[in-house]
Amino acid sequence: MPVASQIVITGQSKPGVLAQVVSVLAGAKVNIKAFSAPEVTGKGNLRLLVSDVDQARAALRAAKVKFREETALVLSLENKPGALSDVADLLKKARINIKCGYCTPSREGSRAIVVLTVSNTSKALGLLRGQSLDEF
């Protein structure tokens, strides 16, 4: 189960924000592996998992796009009812808060890629090791 550095861009929800960010990344030849862009009262957090974090950092800085990074767990779960429930229940029992989560389908379709940011990454990693999780 890999741990990834996730790019987070916070700002006003308005036309062109996503277009600007993805254009900057495309120009730097950085592939977006997964993203989430929820809106909360006119503001949003765009979270991106990218193929090359170093290249993304450099491109975003050059374009003067403000961002931060956060650690995210990237889980490959069996694509079946209850798979995410098992993970969420394990984290709940350990009193680990899931702060953010989103998913993307895997290439083969039999797996679901789930991205989670949690309150205690190292504790979550310890708990989830040994579970039937594959790499993204």
Side-chain angles (χ1 to χ4, degrees):
M1 164 189 16
V3 175
S5 185
Q6 179 169 248
I7 303 287
V8 182
I9 299 165
T10 301
Q12 286 298 116
S13 178
K14 62 183 182 181
V17 173
L18 180 62
Q20 177 198 14
V21 171
V22 298
S23 176
V24 166
L25 295 175
K29 307 280 190 254
V30 174
N31 189 37
I32 298 168
K33 296 168 79 174
F35 82 95
S36 170
E39 178 185 3
V40 180
T41 344
K43 285 194 167 198
N45 284 319
L46 172 61
R47 286 182 164 85
L48 303 124
L49 283 182
V50 296
S51 60
D52 186 333
V53 176
D54 292 333
Q55 189 68 17
R57 273 187 211 115
L60 292 168
R61 284 183 184 132
K64 296 184 181 358
V65 175
K66 291 182 182 181
F67 67 94
R68 62 184 168 85
E69 293 178 51
E70 65 186 9
T71 302
L73 301 175
V74 182
L75 313 176
S76 176
L77 304 178
E78 198 171 343
N79 194 2
K80 68 174 190 175
L84 181 56
S85 176
D86 293 343
V87 171
D89 191 52
L90 188 65
L91 295 174
K92 176 187 86 171
K93 287 177 181 170
R95 301 186 57 77
I96 297 171
N97 185 39
I98 298 172
K99 299 189 289 185
C100 174
Y102 56 97
C103 67
T104 186
S106 67
R107 288 185 199 110
E108 68 276 1
S110 62
R111 311 286 301 171
I113 307 304
V114 177
V115 181
L116 300 174
T117 56
V118 297
S119 59
N120 187 331
T121 303
S122 59
K123 186 175 178 183
L125 280 171
L127 286 170
L128 294 171
R129 286 201 202 293
Q131 302 295 315
S132 57
L133 307 172
D134 295 328
E135 295 210 6
F136 182 35

